[in-house]
Amino acid sequence: MLNQKVISSKSIFLIIIFIFKISRIVAGLVPDRAGHVAVINGNQIIFMGGSRFISPANPIRSQIRLYNLSDEVFSLSLSSQFSTSSPPYVDLSDTSARMKFGSEKGTAVLGGASKEIVFLIGGMQQNLTRLNEIDKNSNITSNQTFMIEEISKTYNMTSQLVFFYQPYGKSWSYLLDQKGTPPSRRRSTSTVIDSKGIIYIFGGRVQVDTGSPILVCYNDLYTFDTVLLSWNKVNAANVPSPRSHAAPVLLPSGKILYIGGVSQTQPGMEADLINMNEIPVFDTISSTWSYKYANQSILIQPRSGHTATLMPNNNEIIIIGGNSSTEHSIYFCSFLFSFLINIIHY
């Protein structure tokens, strides 16, 4: 059972991750998916998008097509206790809350003057209306090469990097009055928002699913002011190598740690996993990059797609899951304890 009154919001978020995975195994609930985004807004958590595996019994499933993107939106109330075996998800997808496209591997943060607007940054997009038409066209589905070509056209439907969702109005909008020049559309960025409503977007990648013929990782850093709706590119020396899937952690000192992920030496090359103990740090106060090396008391496999969350004591980070050469794992990162103390008081 889960009781919000005795657990901090950060701890709740970590527990919700477990609930989401448990629900997939135990209850087989509708929200079964991967690559989705989630935010806590007041006393509820909002899940959006993701990819859903196609059932083996479905004739559209093949070796080259195992999943479709989702445009669904769900909420889960944290205001009362519930069983982790059957979380009371509410499906909002039949309202204007449904996303404009199928979406995966973006990042969602709360911002704006009220700090209640959900900003969806980047990710893959898929035109599900067109995808449904393709599935009903036997001339396409009977020709695998043709089908691959047609499905590829359903991705990357717009150059818009940011969409925003208003939870209380349950509606999606484009940002029409942006100032400055936004970065190119991409996915798997390292994105956080500070207490002033400024989003920091670092790195990310493009490849076939985002409209690029080759894999390209980035190492540029942009900020987006969610109150003024203005973009700024940060030009600072000593920038890390191009990378994606790094897990960002914003410290109370204003420093952002980027943990793990994958890096690329040049466009078109494969991306390699990054040593988890080599941590780039961006100081949002001085706009400078530096590097720290965590003490290694246990072996932490390099990984991507993991989460990294600062604990309420501001001294420890929990890293959960991810993809590496070993099974998905959970680590309580006490090996970072002294390192984080030094960072916070740096």
Side-chain angles (χ1 to χ4, degrees):
M1 303 292 286
L2 181 63
N3 189 335
Q4 184 192 23
K5 295 181 180 179
V6 297
I7 307 175
S8 75
S9 62
K10 290 183 180 178
S11 297
I12 286 175
F13 189 82
L14 291 170
I15 291 172
I16 290 300
I17 294 173
F18 288 115
I19 291 172
F20 211 68
K21 292 184 179 295
I22 290 171
S23 72
R24 296 176 62 183
I25 299 171
V26 177
L29 297 180
V30 173
D32 183 4
R33 67 200 58 233
H36 53 284
V37 298
V39 293
I40 291 179
N41 182 30
N43 64 354
Q44 70 174 346
I45 185 168
I46 304 172
F47 298 95
M48 303 174 175
S51 59
R52 301 190 64 187
F53 279 97
I54 301 170
S55 167
N58 193 321
I60 68 173
R61 179 184 169 104
S62 67
Q63 290 297 320
I64 54 90
R65 186 179 174 195
L66 300 176
Y67 64 89
N68 292 331
L69 299 194
S70 167
D71 59 357
E72 300 160 300
V73 177
F74 295 85
S75 67
L76 177 64
S77 175
L78 304 175
S79 60
S80 59
Q81 295 183 352
F82 57 81
S83 171
T84 57
S85 63
S86 56
Y89 293 110
V90 176
D91 188 353
L92 305 175
S93 305
D94 289 334
T95 69
S96 56
R98 185 177 288 276
M99 306 176 82
K100 292 182 178 294
F101 302 96
S103 180
E104 181 190 28
K105 297 179 180 176
T107 305
V109 295
L110 285 176
S114 64
K115 298 184 179 180
E116 294 179 341
I117 296 175
V118 180
F119 287 81
L120 176 62
I121 311 296
M124 296 161 53
Q125 296 175 334
Q126 189 172 37
N127 184 332
L128 299 184
T129 300
R130 176 56 185 153
L131 185 65
N132 185 53
E133 294 172 352
I134 291 172
D135 289 339
K136 294 179 179 178
N137 189 329
S138 59
N139 292 328
I140 296 177
T141 57
S142 61
N143 186 320
Q144 189 176 65
T145 301
F146 190 27
M147 184 177 67
I148 293 173
E149 293 175 352
E150 289 301 305
I151 290 177
S152 69
K153 297 175 184 177
T154 67
Y155 287 98
N156 200 41
M157 299 307 302
T158 174
S159 61
Q160 288 279 340
L161 181 71
V162 180
F163 293 87
F164 69 93
Y165 172 74
Q166 301 184 65
Y168 295 108
K170 296 183 176 62
S171 62
W172 285 92
S173 301
Y174 299 97
L175 291 175
L176 300 177
D177 301 319
Q178 302 175 61
K179 305 175 184 67
T181 303
S184 58
R185 183 168 185 83
R186 59 194 66 177
R187 69 167 176 87
S188 306
T189 62
S190 300
T191 300
V192 294
I193 189 168
D194 68 11
S195 60
K196 298 177 181 178
I198 298 176
I199 303 175
Y200 290 81
I201 304 168
F202 173 66
R205 64 161 63 188
V206 293
Q207 53 192 81
V208 173
D209 56 28
T210 47
S212 173
I214 62 172
L215 169 63
V216 180
C217 291
Y218 297 93
N219 64 346
D220 46 13
L221 175 64
Y222 284 81
T223 63
F224 180 69
D225 189 316
T226 62
V227 177
L228 301 177
L229 301 183
S230 62
W231 288 98
N232 178 54
K233 184 176 182 181
V234 178
N235 295 308
N238 210 25
V239 65
S241 60
R243 62 190 63 196
S244 67
H245 295 87
V249 180
L250 177 63
L251 301 180
S253 63
K255 293 181 172 66
I256 306 172
L257 283 63
Y258 295 94
I259 301 174
V262 295
S263 181
Q264 184 185 46
T265 55
Q266 64 183 46
M269 299 291 291
E270 290 294 324
D272 297 317
L273 290 167
I274 298 170
N275 188 329
M276 296 287 284
N277 297 314
E278 299 175 1
I279 303 177
V281 181
F282 182 75
D283 189 328
T284 63
I285 307 301
S286 62
S287 293
T288 56
W289 285 99
S290 61
Y291 296 82
K292 298 293 180 179
Y293 295 85
N295 296 325
Q296 183 176 348
S297 58
I298 58 174
L299 177 63
I300 306 293
Q301 292 287 345
R303 64 197 58 227
S304 65
H306 53 291
T307 63
T309 304
L310 184 66
M311 294 299 289
N313 62 12
N314 295 327
N315 292 334
E316 296 163 319
I317 289 174
I318 284 184
I319 296 173
I320 298 179
N323 298 315
S324 66
S325 58
T326 60
E327 293 295 321
H328 293 186
S329 305
I330 299 171
Y331 295 101
F332 185 82
C333 293
S334 57
F335 79 100
L336 287 176
F337 182 85
S338 60
F339 164 70
L340 286 176
I341 286 289
N342 292 335
I343 287 291
I344 292 169
H345 296 290
Y346 184 71

